[in-house]
Amino acid sequence: MPNISKKGGAMPESPIRKLVPYAEQAIKDGKTIYHLNIGQPDIKTPQIALDAVKNLSLDILAYSRSEGSETYRIKIANYYEKNNIEVTHDDIIVTTGGSEALLFAFGSIMDADDEVIIPEPFYANYNGFSTASGINIVPVISKIEDNFALPPIEEFEKLITSKTKAILICNPGNPTGYLYSQEEIQKLASLVKKHDLFLIADEVYREFAYDGHKHYSVMQEPGIEDHAIMIDSVSKRYSMCGARVGCLVSKNKTVIQTALKFAQARLSPPTFAQIASEAALETPQSYFDAVIEEYVGRRNTLINELEKIEGVKVAKPNGAFYCVVELPIKNADHFAQWLLEDFNINGETVMVAPAAGFYSTPNVGLNQIRIAYVLNKESLIKAVNIIKEALKIYNN
Amino acid sequence: MPNISKKGGAMPESPIRKLVPYAEQAIKDGKTIYHLNIGQPDIKTPQIALDAVKNLSLDILAYSRSEGSETYRIKIANYYEKNNIEVTHDDIIVTTGGSEALLFAFGSIMDADDEVIIPEPFYANYNGFSTASGINIVPVISKIEDNFALPPIEEFEKLITSKTKAILICNPGNPTGYLYSQEEIQKLASLVKKHDLFLIADEVYREFAYDGHKHYSVMQEPGIEDHAIMIDSVSKRYSMCGARVGCLVSKNKTVIQTALKFAQARLSPPTFAQIASEAALETPQSYFDAVIEEYVGRRNTLINELEKIEGVKVAKPNGAFYCVVELPIKNADHFAQWLLEDFNINGETVMVAPAAGFYSTPNVGLNQIRIAYVLNKESLIKAVNIIKEALKIYNN
């Protein structure tokens, strides 16, 4: 039997994957599970986006252009302009989700064994994309005590080698919910200019900024036009995770030309979803106002409830819809499994994502979990109560 | 300014990309272009597939499972059974087009600098996927005189090194239109067993087999269950190129488990398109009968017309909807550009794909073009007449 590749062997499993059989068993046993573990929002997709596909009349579901249709890219550029980001449609390549945009970025700027520095905890799939691309992630630990703010810039600088090609941030962050300030972006900008690196920013949660904070994009920072690469996606903005439409944005023409070659090889992004995404750009502001209000309410409820539990430490998120929570336990992997296997209140239990999968440094975050507040407030209250009661028993 | 990667620099451009500005100029000049250069069929998508999306009622466009929805995979397995391919839904991972299936296959079985042997001319984007994956293509030349039949198996064997991990075929072939016989597949099966290699078969044109020939899949060949990896796609079968849905199929459990990790990193294939693809499986046989009849008619027309031109050599295709044609010229790149820039009959000209882009060996196939017969017969007759008249002038 021929062997699989070392790369294939090294590809990480999803951090919640190993919990799935326990969840399936719990459901078979008749339990109800509150899913705090996934980033699939329960928010409705804008009707205008769904209708665009419903009302479509076409005879042939044809390829679009590899870089995405021109009309869509022009509208994306308009959307960015409203967000104080000045780009033209030529600076944009439409991709199959933010995932593909990140793969194109890695492929365009990094060769085998090159390094990208990422503050951790970070979106777990960055591990998969880096392994698939044959590159290495060099983590900088950010701390729950600081709400996962940007680590001191000297911590980044210490890690820069001749292999370092880029710094990658997720802003606001999954799993941290931390929104970087303009000052933090400027510190990173100085660093990438000084060391001639790329600055990749995954800004798919741009709209999800709370408490009056304003999102500041790497594309707004003057002087790093050739360094900045923005990753974007319609998945969370319009609750269209299944569309698989994102984009890669940069004013660096060589980066765009290079990424376009990767795009040409895979022919085109999905046509139906691109049409829905183009229509989604007409979503009225009232939709976002309602969504933000809902998420702020959920976050406040969640944090309130969590802070009532003794020994729990929470990083208060000011963006996205995740938070990292430190529990008074030793091993969140075991606790998460135990919740599904051995605990319930009136037949209800909770599924959480152990946070260790969001760290690249071994043995960090072992007592932390990530909670996605993609459930309504009532469910969140019940779910946190289950965690609270579970901890009492688990710790005895 | 930070540099792009060596990999990014090495990514090939689409072989017709450099002709696009000349085509755009020709259109601006008011010329009509017969596009023989692209694989986008003019055949209608089955209404049942389009209706499935039109009649969809969903509130949230959610992620599907990373491996594709279970109902869809079960139906795909049924479809294969009808094609005498015995697999279960667990042997299938739904991908974003055949492109992604091939990327997952390369990633799962090959590491940097590993080698895959491919008979050339081959689908040009294999070059892009191999560069993106950091692996090397080792070509075996197949000949227009043999209709691009499988080269002698000793030619493959000569090229096998410790780096060789797989043999890749496209059956029936793009750009050759050659359908491999059962005997040819068996020769390859013996070879991969002897040298413990994978055999990847891109079978996206399975239905397009003419003149009573029957497609024989690598998945039908006993004894190579652990070696065979099939790449498939809905793009050509249902004229749904813009769906971006394909799949990777293998009975090798380790391959499937490994490919699944790549699939998990990018979360899910596109949801709308997956729904359309599931419905497309209900397409009646009459649709395919009509499509095959149409393509056979086109092929016969095309070959007939081409054979009337002095000095033209044609490999008669018995599958897919491409053929490679040798012209009495030195350089098809130049001729293709000249057709767009300097030639027309009553304002009409032709765009063809120079075949050199489908070879990996330098300076082979320079006088060949690929023709996709994705136009109706009347247009094909006009297009070939333009080539005929053009050659008279070009060669003087």
Side-chain angles (χ1 to χ4, degrees):
Chain A
M1 185 157 96
N3 290 325
I4 60 153
S5 60
K6 290 191 196 87
K7 179 195 279 188
M11 276 296 287
E13 290 203 311
S14 149
I16 62 145
R17 183 92 198 155
K18 51 192 164 188
L19 291 173
V20 170
Y22 302 106
E24 286 173 346
Q25 188 58 48
I27 289 164
K28 271 187 198 153
D29 296 344
K31 286 187 203 170
T32 299
I33 301 176
Y34 291 102
H35 285 279
L36 301 178
N37 58 297
I38 45 167
Q40 168 62 57
D42 62 340
I43 302 289
K44 286 191 181 171
T45 306
Q47 198 57 43
I48 199 170
L50 298 171
D51 284 348
V53 171
K54 242 182 149 52
N55 300 331
L56 200 59
S57 81
L58 43 77
D59 283 337
I60 305 175
L61 186 61
Y63 290 124
S64 75
R65 293 174 66 146
S66 297
E67 63 270 39
S69 82
E70 192 166 346
T71 57
Y72 180 37
R73 286 181 297 125
I74 288 170
K75 286 186 192 170
I76 299 175
N78 288 342
Y79 155 81
Y80 286 130
E81 204 181 336
K82 284 184 212 148
N83 284 271
N84 305 312
I85 295 168
E86 300 288 337
V87 291
T88 75
H89 68 282
D90 286 331
D91 304 324
I92 299 168
I93 291 177
V94 177
T95 57
T96 307
S99 305
E100 191 181 62
L102 202 59
L103 280 170
F104 287 175
F106 281 2
S108 297
I109 66 172
M110 286 190 273
D111 286 305
D113 298 324
D114 280 348
E115 294 171 356
V116 55
I117 300 175
I118 314 181
E120 65 179 354
F122 54 76
Y123 177 48
N125 285 326
Y126 293 163
N127 282 316
F129 300 137
S130 66
T131 304
S133 303
I135 61 157
N136 297 316
I137 289 178
V138 176
V140 188
I141 300 177
S142 67
K143 292 183 182 146
I144 197 167
E145 291 77 13
D146 306 328
N147 275 333
F148 299 109
L150 193 75
I153 214 75
E154 307 81 58
E155 297 295 315
F156 287 87
E157 201 149 22
K158 270 197 274 187
L159 299 169
I160 293 173
T161 71
S162 62
K163 294 260 179 212
T164 311
K165 291 288 148 39
I167 291 168
L168 166 60
I169 57 169
C170 182
N171 183 30
N174 173 4
T176 64
Y178 185 79
L179 181 74
Y180 290 113
S181 68
Q182 183 169 348
E183 290 65 36
E184 287 173 315
I185 299 297
Q186 285 168 341
K187 280 183 193 168
L188 288 169
S190 300
L191 186 70
V192 297
K193 276 191 285 188
K194 180 173 169 192
H195 293 279
D196 211 18
L197 306 175
F198 287 102
L199 178 57
I200 309 172
D202 176 346
E203 302 188 356
V204 304
Y205 297 97
R206 176 179 308 112
E207 274 74 12
F208 304 92
Y210 311 135
D211 310 327
H213 291 289
K214 257 195 104 51
H215 181 265
Y216 187 74
S217 170
V218 293
M219 300 302 290
Q220 288 174 265
E221 176 62 19
I224 57 165
E225 289 77 7
D226 282 333
H227 304 260
I229 300 174
M230 178 169 66
I231 305 301
D232 212 338
S233 164
V234 305
S235 294
K236 313 294 171 167
R237 184 168 307 141
Y238 308 109
S239 196
M240 286 172 60
C241 295
R244 313 313 301 129
V245 168
C247 62
L248 180 152
V249 186
S250 180
K251 289 182 188 162
N252 181 321
K253 298 287 174 205
T254 314
V255 166
I256 291 294
Q257 281 156 15
T258 305
L260 179 59
K261 293 191 286 180
F262 288 87
Q264 284 170 355
R266 64 70 165 124
L267 301 169
S268 94
T271 296
F272 278 132
Q274 219 178 145
I275 288 161
S277 301
E278 186 171 330
L281 284 166
E282 308 294 327
T283 305
Q285 184 56 38
S286 56
Y287 172 91
F288 295 105
D289 293 344
V291 169
I292 299 303
E293 192 185 330
E294 176 63 25
Y295 276 124
V296 169
R298 289 176 183 188
R299 181 203 57 176
N300 294 345
T301 302
L302 177 72
I303 303 293
N304 254 336
E305 295 300 311
L306 284 168
E307 286 181 339
K308 288 182 195 163
I309 310 177
E310 209 182 295
V312 161
K313 200 184 284 177
V314 193
K316 191 172 177 187
N318 50 8
F321 38 71
Y322 306 98
C323 77
V324 174
V325 185
E326 196 167 293
L327 300 178
I329 55 171
K330 280 210 177 116
N331 187 304
D333 263 323
H334 182 266
F335 179 64
Q337 180 180 332
W338 179 86
L339 277 172
L340 293 167
E341 271 196 308
D342 298 319
F343 187 77
N344 73 85
I345 297 180
N346 301 325
E348 296 187 329
T349 190
V350 170
M351 186 165 177
V352 297
F358 300 93
Y359 289 87
S360 162
T361 306
N363 301 320
V364 177
L366 293 181
N367 59 348
Q368 297 174 358
I369 57 171
R370 182 195 74 171
I371 289 179
Y373 42 103
V374 292
L375 304 178
N376 63 40
K377 282 169 231 163
E378 197 190 338
S379 298
L380 287 173
I381 291 172
K382 282 192 190 162
V384 177
N385 185 55
I386 289 167
I387 294 176
K388 182 178 161 186
E389 295 303 318
L391 283 170
K392 287 182 195 163
I393 293 169
Y394 184 80
N395 281 332
N396 279 322
Chain B
M1 182 157 97
N3 290 324
I4 60 154
S5 60
K6 290 190 195 85
K7 179 194 278 188
M11 276 295 286
E13 291 203 309
S14 149
I16 62 145
R17 182 93 197 154
K18 51 192 164 188
L19 291 173
V20 169
Y22 303 106
E24 286 174 348
Q25 188 57 48
I27 290 163
K28 272 188 197 152
D29 296 345
K31 287 186 204 172
T32 300
I33 301 177
Y34 291 102
H35 285 278
L36 301 179
N37 58 298
I38 45 167
Q40 168 63 58
D42 62 338
I43 302 289
K44 285 188 181 174
T45 305
Q47 197 57 43
I48 199 171
L50 297 171
D51 284 348
V53 171
K54 241 181 149 52
N55 299 332
L56 200 60
S57 82
L58 44 76
D59 282 338
I60 303 175
L61 186 62
Y63 289 124
S64 76
R65 292 174 66 145
S66 297
E67 62 271 40
S69 82
E70 191 164 348
T71 58
Y72 180 38
R73 286 181 299 125
I74 288 170
K75 287 188 191 170
I76 299 175
N78 288 342
Y79 155 82
Y80 285 131
E81 205 181 335
K82 283 185 212 149
N83 284 271
N84 304 310
I85 295 168
E86 300 289 335
V87 292
T88 76
H89 67 282
D90 286 331
D91 304 324
I92 299 168
I93 291 177
V94 178
T95 57
T96 308
S99 305
E100 191 182 60
L102 203 59
L103 281 170
F104 287 175
F106 282 1
S108 297
I109 65 172
M110 287 188 271
D111 286 304
D113 297 326
D114 280 347
E115 293 171 356
V116 55
I117 300 176
I118 315 181
E120 66 180 352
F122 54 75
Y123 177 47
N125 285 326
Y126 293 164
N127 282 316
F129 300 138
S130 66
T131 304
S133 303
I135 61 159
N136 296 316
I137 290 177
V138 176
V140 188
I141 300 177
S142 66
K143 290 184 184 146
I144 195 165
E145 292 77 13
D146 307 328
N147 274 334
F148 298 110
L150 194 75
I153 214 74
E154 308 80 58
E155 296 295 313
F156 287 87
E157 202 149 22
K158 271 197 275 185
L159 298 170
I160 294 173
T161 70
S162 61
K163 293 262 180 210
T164 311
K165 292 288 149 41
I167 291 168
L168 166 60
I169 57 169
C170 182
N171 183 29
N174 173 5
T176 64
Y178 185 79
L179 181 74
Y180 290 113
S181 68
Q182 184 169 348
E183 291 66 38
E184 286 173 316
I185 298 298
Q186 285 169 339
K187 282 184 192 168
L188 288 170
S190 301
L191 186 70
V192 296
K193 276 192 285 190
K194 181 173 169 192
H195 293 278
D196 211 19
L197 306 175
F198 287 101
L199 177 57
I200 310 172
D202 176 346
E203 302 188 355
V204 304
Y205 297 97
R206 175 178 308 110
E207 274 74 13
F208 303 92
Y210 311 134
D211 309 330
H213 291 288
K214 258 196 103 54
H215 181 264
Y216 187 74
S217 170
V218 294
M219 300 301 291
Q220 288 173 267
E221 177 62 18
I224 55 166
E225 289 76 6
D226 283 333
H227 303 261
I229 300 174
M230 178 169 66
I231 305 300
D232 211 339
S233 164
V234 305
S235 293
K236 313 293 171 165
R237 184 167 306 141
Y238 307 111
S239 196
M240 286 172 59
C241 296
R244 314 313 301 132
V245 167
C247 61
L248 180 150
V249 185
S250 180
K251 289 181 188 163
N252 182 320
K253 298 289 174 205
T254 315
V255 167
I256 291 294
Q257 282 157 15
T258 306
L260 179 59
K261 293 192 286 182
F262 287 88
Q264 284 170 356
R266 63 74 165 118
L267 302 168
S268 94
T271 296
F272 278 133
Q274 218 177 148
I275 289 161
S277 301
E278 186 170 332
L281 284 166
E282 308 294 328
T283 304
Q285 184 56 38
S286 56
Y287 172 91
F288 295 105
D289 293 343
V291 169
I292 299 302
E293 193 186 328
E294 176 64 25
Y295 276 125
V296 169
R298 289 178 182 187
R299 181 203 57 175
N300 294 345
T301 302
L302 177 71
I303 304 292
N304 255 335
E305 295 301 309
L306 284 168
E307 286 181 338
K308 288 182 193 164
I309 309 176
E310 210 184 295
V312 161
K313 202 184 285 175
V314 193
K316 192 174 176 185
N318 51 7
F321 38 71
Y322 306 97
C323 76
V324 174
V325 184
E326 197 168 292
L327 300 178
I329 54 170
K330 284 212 175 113
N331 187 304
D333 264 323
H334 182 266
F335 179 64
Q337 181 180 331
W338 178 85
L339 276 172
L340 293 167
E341 271 197 307
D342 298 320
F343 187 76
N344 73 85
I345 297 180
N346 301 325
E348 297 187 330
T349 190
V350 171
M351 187 164 176
V352 296
F358 299 94
Y359 288 88
S360 162
T361 307
N363 300 319
V364 177
L366 293 181
N367 60 347
Q368 297 174 358
I369 58 171
R370 182 195 73 171
I371 289 179
Y373 42 102
V374 292
L375 304 179
N376 62 39
K377 283 168 231 164
E378 198 191 337
S379 298
L380 287 173
I381 292 171
K382 280 192 191 163
V384 177
N385 186 55
I386 289 167
I387 293 174
K388 182 178 162 187
E389 296 302 317
L391 283 170
K392 287 181 195 165
I393 293 168
Y394 185 79
N395 280 331
N396 279 323

